[in-house]
Structures are given as structure tokens and as C-alpha cells.
Amino acid sequence: MAEQIISTEFADVMQKSFVDYAMSVITARAVPDVRDGLKPVQRRVLYAMHELGLNFDKPHRKSARIVGDTMGKYHPHGDSSIYEALVVMEQDFKKGMALIDGHGNFGSIEGDSAAAMRYTEARLKKFTQEVYLKDLDKDVINFLPNFDETEREPEVLPVRVPNILVNGADGIAVGMVTSIPPHNLGEVISAVEAFIDNNEIRTEELMERMKGPDFPTGGIVINQNELAEIYEKGCGKIKIRGKIEFEPAKKKTERDKLVITEIPYTLIGSNLGKLLADIAALVETKKTTDIVDILNQSSKEGLRIVLELKKNTDVEKLTNLLYKKTKLEDTFGVNMLVIVDGKPERLGIRDILRHHLDFQIELTSRKYQYLLKKELEKKEIKEGLIRAYDILDLIIEIIRGSRSIKDVKKCLVEGDTSKIQFRKQVSQKAAAKLNFTDAQATAILELRLQKLVGLEIQALEKEYKQILKNIACYTDILENHSSMLRVIKRDLEAIRKEFSLDRKTEILNAQAAVYEEAPIAEQEIVFTMDRFGYAKTMDLSVYERNSETIEQENKYVFRCMNTDRICIFTDTGSMHQIKMLDIPSGKLRDKGQPIDNLGNYSSAGESIVGIFTFSYIREKQLFFATKRGMVKLVDAAEFDVNRKTVLATKLEEQDALVCVSPILEGENEVLLCSHDGYFLRFLLEEVPKKKKSALGVHGIRLGEKDFLEQSCLLKDGQEEFAFRNRMLAVSRVKQAKREEKGSKLRLSV
């Protein structure tokens, strides 16, 4: 067969491929389905455990076995993602209702990772079995082929509560993010019941039932008045605080304590360590002197972070400081993005409940259709057996007079007596009138003799009456919408009664934490940074006594005020700011701290072009020169910003910043020096003033492989300049115009 080459635009192929990939990530990995509130990996883990028979009353099984079954049968995307999903569903400090019961180390609230899957064991919780996996055998959901079409997996699980609200969800897809907080099971069920009673109920009325999020870490939600709007739109910010309790000293030898007993949900994991570091930083930077010691006394019983206080500490002021300056008060961003009919949608609380109710009606309809079908089959069998009891002697005569089961069955179903030998003519006439169904005939033939006693017949009639009642009940549920809603509410009530827990998170309207910082006493200090990037500040008196040593040992040394900030210009065209107050103060022989750790500057990907204090450059203009010979002037006032990192200059591809120089009084010429030894000298007034985001203009014409190595600003009458550790005479470079090639100087001795 000849090859067929299809010509198409590369951009079209890329666009289609990216859209396909993005939709795959959104719908099949990162965003949960509105019906069961589960991502595919979570659904597959639970179903694999169900298939393995890991019920709550059975022994635990190795997590590696669960992960292996899930990956081999349903989710061929790597064991780490599967095990991570299993671990999260076990962690009761992340989920409103944990779905898996684990044995072993499944991580901690402080950020400790779980043990390897070969060490841990797991099984389903009773809640998961009763609420998430019940009725899977009753044809309530659709099954789809797995990835290689050797197994079948459920499209969704028949979850009977709005799991998307109970356990929340978080996920990052391509250009989309979902973030839904967990809620209290009992309150969610109450909200569902209210919605069943009134589909037009307002969000504010629903919030009377479901007051707001209920984080497993507890804490306090402090913007209650804003919750109704957040739940109406499906997005917004929930402000949460940790709980702080004051414990007065019981003995004279003890100290008063502030104890953090609950943290914001956002601090789960490594952020808890950052909270402790932030509290320690408040002490180190002397923003508070009231904390004497910080102790983490957390255990299996719960979180307990103890702050020992000085005597007569203003507890309210310190509490406000902790809320204001640490993550003990944080925001939880809400974005209720879910998959609805295969597409991502952001829903409000009422829409979520509406989709949940539609799903429950579908589940209930399919369940009772299945049960009704089974009861009708039973009814048919029971009717056949009851009828058979009345003509038992005839049936026995038919069986005795036949040569095969096939002949008996044909006689019972069709009245065919041709192959049956009867003792009496009347029996043959009666047999010819038989018209049992195929199922009834099979049941009659399978009937044991012990079932023919009187008591068994009474039990049969009793069962038949119960079957008729069941049929009437199931028919009523399927034909009457109100009856179906009653069944759904009855099931929800049973779930609430057995599984609901007390609320952990307090919800109220609280005033914003107010903390007024004491004014900083201005004083002159000295900033130093050595050639390895270790920076510190020191007292002016220390510098004055050891100025010669300090200047020899450090690359950058300058005097400044402690309220100032340093501006670090790098070859990537960025400017990073660091407050002097954030730089550790040290003694003469203290090493200091790496400058990388103090701001956004990273020595791994950037090189420093210049460091200045902002007070030094504030009123000046800055001269910029790049590797490809671009130059411009920028007012330093443009860098008076609050952000830690800003764009200092725009750069072309393969370009880099070479020089940033503040223009000093008397400097009126520019000298550009290229790598190949070309030097161009022209008036500073030829360089235009631009914005910091501008590219600049050409300063020197460079050869194909040449690049700008250095630039200097010259004062009127200056005789020498430094280049490659040599002093060269300015007179060797004739004054020219900007954008010329310049003069080539012989630099050899």
C-alpha cells in the first residue's frame, strides 16, 4: 500500500495536540466529577480495593498490592501518583471524612511523608463501603472498558452524599485550578434535605443549614458575612485563623504561655515548619521581645505549639502580631471547578446540590428498577410453586412417566403429553392443560422433597405476600417522584445518624488583627558582602575601628541607614530589592548569610552587575549597557517600588546586562569597550532617556562575534580608565559619535 503524505500547518497540529492534552488533564486527571466528587485515580483505587474484598471487617492488605492492582487493571500512569492518592484518602487531617483505614506510617500534619507502599497496609472504612460503594451490584451505574479493554471499571461510583463538599477537592490542570474546602457531613446532608424540600431555596437559607467549611484541622473562619456570596459564585477567599489559648503560669517557677492548638488548613505539611520559622524570625528581628522560647509539643493527641512568654506580656498585642506577621491567619482560595457532563464548570452551592440530587434520582431509579425486576422474577417462581403444590400428584405422575427432564419440562410448559406414560386417562387430560412458564418449570424440577411439608408451603405463601408488597412499594417509588425523594431523604438520615461528626471549625465575624509596629530608630550601619555572596550589616563603630580589614575581605562595602534597602542589578535584566532590616546583623568575624537566602536573587542563574543602596541612587539617573551594545538612561525613581523583583531593562534574545552605573556629577562621556579590543568614546548627552521596560538604542557597532565587555562613565578632564586590570590613557580613544565601530587599540605590552 502506497504511503499517503498529509500536508498540514504545524501551528494547527500543535494547537489541536495542546487542546487534546489540556482536556485530557482536566477531565481525566486533575478535576473531580460533580457526581461522585472523585478524580479518576481516587475512584480506581477505591474500586480496586472493593474488588480485592478489603472490607472494613477484613484484615488489612499491603498498599503495594492495592497500587499494583490499580495500576495493572485501571490506572496505567505510574505507582507514585496512585499511592499518593491512597495516602491522601487515609489522612484524616486532610479529608473531612477519611475513606481508607491505614496501618503504618501514612504521614503527619507536620509534613512527614508516608512510608513506602511496601511497609504500609490499608483497607476500606465502613463509611466508604456504605456510602461510596454500596449497590454496585444492582446496576446503578455504567461500566466502561479499561485502558486495554480486558477489564471493566465504573464510570462513577454510586456515592450517596455530595462528596465534592464533604471531602473537598484540589487540583491543578492546564490553565485551570480547582479548590473546594471540606465540609461537615451532617450539615451537608441537612443542606441536601433542604434543597429536596425546596429546589428554589436561596443560598443564604442553605447557609443556615451548612454554615461554611469544616476543616479537619479546626481553626476559625473569620469572614462569615462573605461566605454566602462565595458559595453563590463558587469562588472567593475564605479567611481562616489558628486557635491560640492563653495558659497562665501555675507556679512561680513557670512562665505564662500562649498555646497554638489549631492551625489554618493551608498550613498542613511543610508550611507548619514555615510558621515556626516565621515566629522565630519575629524574635530574631526583635519585632517582639515577649517570646522566650518556642516548643513544639505536638503528639498523637493533637497539635500543641507552646510559646513561653516574658512576665507582664501584653497577650492581646502579641496575638495580633502573630496573626498579622505569620501564616497563623491565612486565606483559602475557593474555586468550585468540577466536571459536568464531560466539561469543566465552576458551580455555586445550589448547582452542586442540584447535580447531586439529579444523580441520586438516577441511582435510586436504576436501583429500584433492578429490585423490581428481581421481585417480578421471584413472583413468577412463587406463583408457579404455589400452583404446583395444588397439583402435586399430577406432577409426580408426569415425572415418573417420563424418560428425560426435557420431556417433563415440555409437558409442564406446553402441555405436550406425547412422550409421557400416564396411569390414568384423566391425568393425561389434566397434563395437556398445563402452561407453566419456563422459569416456573425449572423451579418445580429443582424443588426438594423437604419443601413439600405443610410449614414450608405456609412460608412460601408468606414470602409471596411479601413479594407483592415489595413490588407495590418499588412501583410506587418509581412512579411517584415524592416517594422517591422520601427514600433518598431516608437514606441520608441513616447516613447522618451513623457517620456524622461534630463540627471542628468555628465560624464567626471577627475584626481584622490590628498591630502597630513601633517606629524603627534610624541609625547608620555598614553593609558588607564578600566574593562568595555572604552578606551582613554591622555597627558603624566596628567598621571605623577595622575599616582596612573589612574592605580587603569584602567585595562590596558601603555605609547606609538601617531603614534603607539595597538594589541588586543582575545580568538577566532584573533588579532585586532587600531591606537592610532583613539582612542579619553580625560582628566583625561573623560570616553572614548568603544573599540568595535573603531575597529573590539566585546566584545559580544570575550574575550581579551592580549593587547600590536606593538612597544613593534615588535622585540620580542610571546608565545601562548590554552585551550586544545597547545603551540607555533610566531615572532611578522608576525603581522605587514595593515588589522584591522588577524588570530593570528589556533584553533581546541572547543579550545580557553588562553595566549599571549611577551618573555622578561631572561625568559627561561614555566609553564602551568590546571583547575584540574596539573602544568607542562619545558624549553622554547622545544617550536617550528611556523607561525601565524599554530596550534602549545601539551604543556601538559590534562585529559578528564581538560583544561589549565593559563600559565606563568619564569625567571632564579624566586621563585614565581601567580595562582588564590595566590603566589605559583616555587620549588613546578619540571622541566619536554613538553607534560607530570605534577605534581598535593594541593592548599587548
Side-chain angles (χ1 to χ4, degrees):
M1 182 177 172
E3 290 185 357
Q4 183 180 6
I5 299 174
I6 301 173
S7 178
T8 184
E9 286 288 334
F10 181 72
D12 295 340
V13 174
M14 287 297 294
Q15 182 180 12
K16 182 180 183 303
S17 299
F18 180 77
V19 170
D20 291 345
Y21 166 73
M23 287 305 297
S24 175
V25 172
I26 292 166
T27 60
R29 287 175 65 183
V31 182
D33 193 294
V34 70
R35 293 171 291 179
D36 62 3
L38 297 169
K39 299 177 186 179
V41 64
Q42 296 170 324
R43 186 181 303 121
R44 288 163 176 167
V45 167
L46 295 177
Y47 183 66
M49 294 179 73
H50 172 74
E51 288 293 285
L52 284 168
L54 299 182
N55 298 337
F56 74 96
D57 54 354
K58 299 290 177 62
H60 293 76
R61 189 78 66 87
K62 284 289 185 184
S63 299
R65 172 63 193 275
I66 299 167
V67 171
D69 265 40
T70 306
M71 182 167 61
K73 291 182 176 180
Y74 312 116
H75 196 76
H77 297 296
D79 56 358
S80 59
S81 62
I82 297 171
Y83 185 52
E84 184 181 346
L86 186 152
V87 167
V88 170
M89 288 192 287
E90 192 277 343
Q91 293 174 329
D92 56 6
F93 52 85
K94 282 190 179 178
K95 294 293 182 183
M97 296 292 291
L99 303 179
I100 290 174
D101 176 21
H103 259 181
N105 174 17
F106 276 86
S108 74
I109 194 172
E110 297 183 29
D112 302 315
S113 57
M117 69 180 85
R118 61 183 177 272
Y119 300 122
T120 60
E121 299 177 339
R123 66 183 178 188
L124 294 168
K125 279 187 170 287
K126 185 179 181 183
F127 172 72
T128 315
Q129 281 183 236
E130 294 294 323
V131 181
Y132 287 65
L133 297 164
K134 193 174 181 181
D135 298 331
L136 269 174
D137 59 341
K138 293 183 174 62
D139 192 33
V140 292
I141 45 94
N142 297 326
F143 280 78
L144 306 172
N146 70 336
F147 62 91
D148 61 359
E149 298 188 356
T150 58
E151 302 279 346
R152 295 182 68 76
E153 61 177 312
E155 182 183 14
V156 290
L157 293 184
V159 182
R160 296 156 67 195
V161 296
N163 178 60
I164 199 74
L165 296 175
V166 173
N167 276 325
D170 62 273
I172 299 173
V174 181
M176 294 183 178
V177 62
T178 183
S179 179
I180 304 172
H183 298 79
N184 182 271
L185 174 64
E187 292 182 5
V188 170
I189 289 174
S190 181
V192 174
E193 290 173 340
F195 187 82
I196 290 173
D197 293 337
N198 177 14
N199 289 351
E200 302 301 321
I201 190 171
R202 295 182 300 112
T203 301
E204 291 80 1
E205 294 174 288
L206 283 172
M207 299 301 293
E208 294 175 6
R209 303 284 193 103
M210 192 184 79
K211 301 182 184 304
D214 186 24
F215 299 107
T217 54
I220 308 168
V221 172
I222 62 171
N223 59 332
Q224 185 178 15
N225 286 344
E226 299 173 14
L227 294 182
E229 184 179 355
I230 292 171
Y231 282 94
E232 177 70 25
K233 295 180 178 178
C235 64
K237 290 183 178 180
I238 295 174
K239 296 178 183 176
I240 45 179
R241 283 180 181 171
K243 277 189 180 178
I244 303 177
E245 297 176 0
F246 175 66
E247 292 184 2
K250 296 178 181 178
K251 301 177 183 177
K252 289 185 179 180
T253 54
E254 291 182 352
R255 296 182 181 276
D256 292 342
K257 299 181 184 71
L258 271 184
V259 182
I260 301 170
T261 57
E262 295 177 6
I263 57 170
Y265 185 65
T266 51
L267 291 190
I268 291 175
S270 58
N271 284 333
L272 184 56
K274 188 177 185 306
L275 171 66
L276 296 173
D278 288 345
I279 296 173
L282 294 177
V283 179
E284 290 173 7
T285 56
K286 297 182 179 179
K287 289 189 176 178
T288 179
T289 57
D290 294 328
I291 300 175
V292 176
D293 199 3
I294 304 170
L295 304 170
N296 188 354
Q297 298 178 354
S298 303
S299 63
K300 290 182 179 179
E301 282 68 43
L303 187 80
R304 182 177 170 85
I305 298 172
V306 179
L307 310 179
E308 293 190 349
L309 310 177
K310 282 184 178 178
K311 196 173 183 180
N312 299 324
T313 295
D314 187 337
V315 174
E316 185 178 353
K317 182 180 178 182
L318 180 58
T319 301
N320 285 336
L321 172 66
L322 293 173
Y323 284 143
K324 197 77 175 176
K325 297 295 182 181
T326 72
K327 288 290 186 179
L328 204 55
E329 179 175 314
D330 205 359
T331 57
F332 182 95
V334 176
N335 189 36
M336 294 184 179
L337 184 77
V338 292
I339 300 299
V340 180
D341 297 328
K343 297 178 183 178
E345 283 187 33
R346 188 170 69 196
L347 304 179
I349 182 70
R350 289 188 300 169
D351 290 329
I352 289 175
L353 294 179
R354 182 174 290 108
H355 283 290
H356 170 73
L357 182 56
D358 291 343
F359 182 51
Q360 293 308 304
I361 290 172
E362 180 188 352
L363 292 180
T364 307
S365 296
R366 292 182 62 164
K367 174 183 175 180
Y368 284 98
Q369 283 169 1
Y370 176 87
L371 292 176
L372 179 61
K373 180 183 175 184
K374 291 295 180 183
E375 291 297 314
L376 289 172
E377 290 173 357
K378 288 181 186 179
K379 175 176 175 285
E380 179 184 347
I381 300 299
K382 301 300 181 189
E383 285 176 344
L385 293 176
I386 292 170
R387 182 182 165 195
Y389 177 74
D390 294 334
I391 54 170
L392 194 56
D393 293 337
L394 176 61
I395 292 173
I396 292 172
E397 188 174 346
I398 292 171
I399 294 172
R400 292 180 66 183
S402 65
R403 292 187 177 182
S404 68
I405 295 295
K406 184 178 179 182
D407 294 341
V408 176
K409 199 169 184 180
K410 196 169 184 181
C411 179
L412 293 175
V413 174
E414 300 175 7
D416 185 354
T417 61
S418 60
K419 295 181 181 181
I420 309 293
Q421 292 182 359
F422 292 93
R423 293 180 180 180
K424 301 175 184 178
Q425 188 69 24
V426 66
S427 297
Q428 185 174 2
K429 290 181 179 179
K433 297 177 181 179
L434 294 178
N435 59 351
F436 289 100
T437 65
D438 190 69
Q440 289 173 338
T442 301
I444 291 168
L445 291 172
E446 292 175 352
L447 189 65
R448 293 184 179 183
L449 290 174
Q450 68 181 23
K451 293 288 184 181
L452 303 179
V453 299
L455 290 175
E456 289 293 338
I457 297 302
Q458 291 178 12
L460 186 65
E461 291 176 343
K462 186 177 180 181
E463 288 174 12
Y464 180 67
K465 290 178 182 178
Q466 184 59 48
I467 289 170
L468 293 178
K469 287 181 181 179
N470 291 343
I471 290 172
C473 177
Y474 299 160
T475 304
D476 177 60
I477 291 170
L478 291 169
E479 293 180 355
N480 295 311
H481 187 67
S482 58
S483 299
M484 183 171 290
L485 294 181
R486 272 198 305 273
V487 170
I488 293 172
K489 287 178 70 174
R490 184 186 65 206
D491 289 347
L492 288 172
E493 191 58 43
I495 293 170
R496 173 165 52 193
K497 187 175 181 180
E498 184 171 0
F499 299 109
S500 66
L501 302 171
D502 293 336
R503 166 172 278 279
K504 297 175 183 176
T505 301
E506 189 178 347
I507 297 181
L508 47 84
N509 287 308
Q511 293 182 344
V514 177
Y515 175 76
E516 295 182 5
E517 294 189 44
I520 300 167
E522 269 195 313
Q523 63 180 45
E524 192 172 7
I525 56 173
V526 176
F527 168 84
T528 67
M529 190 175 90
D530 63 20
R531 62 192 180 91
F532 300 108
Y534 284 84
K536 67 174 185 271
T537 61
M538 62 177 67
D539 290 339
L540 184 61
S541 58
V542 175
Y543 169 74
E544 289 175 340
R545 290 195 301 270
N546 306 276
S547 58
E548 188 174 338
T549 303
I550 291 169
E551 289 179 3
Q552 285 178 351
E553 294 178 351
N554 291 281
K555 187 175 181 180
Y556 297 98
V557 179
F558 40 77
R559 294 162 62 157
C560 57
M561 303 303 292
N562 63 340
T563 54
D564 207 347
R565 59 184 187 270
I566 59 168
C567 301
I568 304 173
F569 293 88
T570 67
D571 60 344
T572 60
S574 299
M575 190 275 286
H576 307 286
Q577 292 190 106
I578 302 173
K579 292 179 181 179
M580 287 296 176
L581 291 171
D582 293 337
I583 300 172
S585 177
K587 298 178 182 178
L588 177 64
R589 291 301 168 194
D590 288 345
K591 194 172 185 179
Q593 197 167 337
I595 198 77
D596 303 46
N597 297 348
L598 301 173
N600 292 343
Y601 164 70
S602 171
S603 59
E606 301 175 89
S607 297
I608 296 176
V609 173
I611 295 182
F612 314 99
T613 63
F614 184 74
S615 60
Y616 175 68
I617 65 173
R618 186 193 303 269
E619 304 296 333
K620 297 180 175 65
Q621 286 188 330
L622 300 178
F623 172 76
F624 286 79
T626 74
K627 189 176 180 179
R628 296 184 67 176
M630 306 298 287
V631 296
K632 68 175 179 179
L633 298 179
V634 179
D635 283 331
E638 286 201 44
F639 299 102
D640 189 6
V641 293
N642 292 324
R643 284 185 293 170
K644 289 186 177 181
T645 299
V646 294
L647 179 73
T649 185
K650 187 178 179 181
L651 295 173
E652 292 180 321
E653 195 173 344
Q654 304 297 324
D655 202 359
L657 191 59
V658 171
C659 168
V660 179
S661 301
I663 299 171
L664 305 178
E665 190 174 349
E667 292 178 339
N668 57 5
E669 286 187 311
V670 177
L671 180 62
L672 302 180
C673 317
S674 84
H675 179 72
D676 290 347
Y678 285 91
F679 294 79
L680 179 64
R681 177 178 155 211
F682 56 89
L683 292 174
L684 182 62
E685 63 187 29
E686 293 186 45
V687 181
K689 188 167 77 171
K690 299 273 187 180
K691 293 290 184 183
K692 68 176 187 288
S693 57
L695 198 60
V697 297
H698 289 283
I700 183 173
R701 276 193 296 118
L702 297 168
E704 185 177 346
K705 296 184 179 179
D706 197 8
F707 59 86
L708 188 68
E709 186 174 319
Q710 179 183 313
S711 72
C712 309
L713 295 177
L714 305 176
K715 290 186 178 181
D716 191 22
Q718 185 172 329
E719 296 181 353
E720 291 183 315
F721 68 95
F723 182 69
R724 295 180 185 171
N725 297 321
R726 294 179 55 187
M727 297 305 296
L728 301 178
V730 173
S731 59
R732 292 181 65 186
V733 184
K734 292 184 180 180
Q735 191 182 87
K737 294 290 185 182
R738 179 177 65 79
E739 211 174 348
E740 293 186 4
K741 189 171 184 180
S743 308
K744 183 160 186 174
L745 300 184
R746 294 184 60 187
L747 302 176
S748 58
V749 179

